[in-house]
Amino acid sequence: EGTPSRLKGSDKMCKAFTLVEIMVVIMILPFVLLLLDGLFGTLLTEIPRSWRIAQESTTLLNLLEQIHQDVGEAKGLPAEFAGRTANDNLLLVELPEGVIGYQIEEGRVTRSRLTSAPPNEPVQKRVWSVPNGKIVWQVWQKDNECYAVEIETHVELESQGRLEKKMARAHLFYGGVLR
């Protein structure tokens, strides 16, 4: 009926940690915490960075959609209009209702209706903010007639001292100018 007192005492000893087990935990714990710190540090920096890249990429896609629409309806892609010359920072698109200019400047692209009317006339504008977005366009010509626009875009960010290109894409939009 009775259990020897020696066995009752050893049951209590099995429920406790030994000094060796505690020392092993103390030695392993800093390495586990170091790994977790690196993981959480990476997550805290990469998630906001990835979100910014996705936002700018979406903005670039919206810009490309507007340019595609304008070039598709274009009567022409003039080399100059109202004293402005098309170049790496200015794309001119002649629509039936007037000339549209896309201007790249300081991390944004502005679409505005250009006019040779007096300066007090209101100008319609649309602005896309892309502080890390890179946009390069080239107008294609044949027989001195501009007929297409090739546009390359990407989001450029600095990471660990080097520039990274994210979400790179290229598009070619043909205008309705070749008949």
Side-chain angles (χ1 to χ4, degrees):
E1 282 177 34
T3 307
S5 63
R6 179 168 57 107
L7 291 176
K8 287 182 183 178
S10 66
D11 281 345
K12 290 180 183 176
M13 293 281 295
C14 288
K15 293 181 182 179
F17 293 107
T18 65
L19 182 59
V20 173
E21 291 171 330
I22 293 174
M23 293 293 286
V24 168
V25 170
I26 288 174
M27 290 177 62
I28 293 175
L29 188 62
F31 294 108
V32 171
L33 292 176
L34 185 64
L35 290 172
L36 289 176
D37 178 55
L39 175 67
F40 287 125
T42 300
L43 286 176
L44 290 176
T45 58
E46 287 299 315
I47 289 175
R49 181 175 177 264
S50 296
W51 186 82
R52 283 192 309 271
I53 290 170
Q55 288 297 107
E56 284 199 43
S57 180
T58 301
T59 301
L60 285 172
L61 286 173
N62 290 336
L63 167 66
L64 289 169
E65 181 60 34
Q66 182 66 59
I67 293 173
H68 181 238
Q69 180 181 343
D70 286 345
V71 171
E73 298 172 4
K75 288 175 37 181
L77 300 167
E80 62 180 345
F81 178 78
R84 297 180 176 151
T85 304
N87 56 34
D88 293 343
N89 295 322
L90 178 63
L91 174 65
L92 299 172
V93 180
E94 183 181 359
L95 297 174
E97 61 272 6
V99 176
I100 299 293
Y102 286 91
Q103 179 77 43
I104 301 173
E105 55 189 357
E106 300 175 14
R108 62 189 179 140
V109 178
T110 305
R111 177 191 185 269
S112 55
R113 183 175 309 279
L114 303 178
T115 179
S116 53
N120 59 356
E121 184 177 307
V123 177
Q124 297 174 340
K125 286 189 174 184
R126 184 171 176 195
V127 178
W128 293 267
S129 178
V130 284
N132 298 305
K134 301 298 176 202
I135 303 144
V136 178
W137 51 56
Q138 177 183 352
V139 177
W140 289 21
Q141 292 184 6
K142 183 176 182 179
D143 300 328
N144 288 333
E145 289 289 325
C146 300
Y147 68 93
V149 179
E150 180 180 5
I151 302 174
E152 294 182 23
T153 63
H154 65 271
V155 177
E156 191 172 86
L157 294 172
E158 188 172 333
S159 177
Q160 300 174 351
R162 62 185 171 92
L163 289 177
E164 291 182 356
K165 292 181 181 181
K166 301 287 187 179
M167 305 292 199
R169 59 181 67 87
H171 296 273
L172 180 60
F173 302 131
Y174 290 94
V177 294
L178 282 182
R179 301 192 208 312

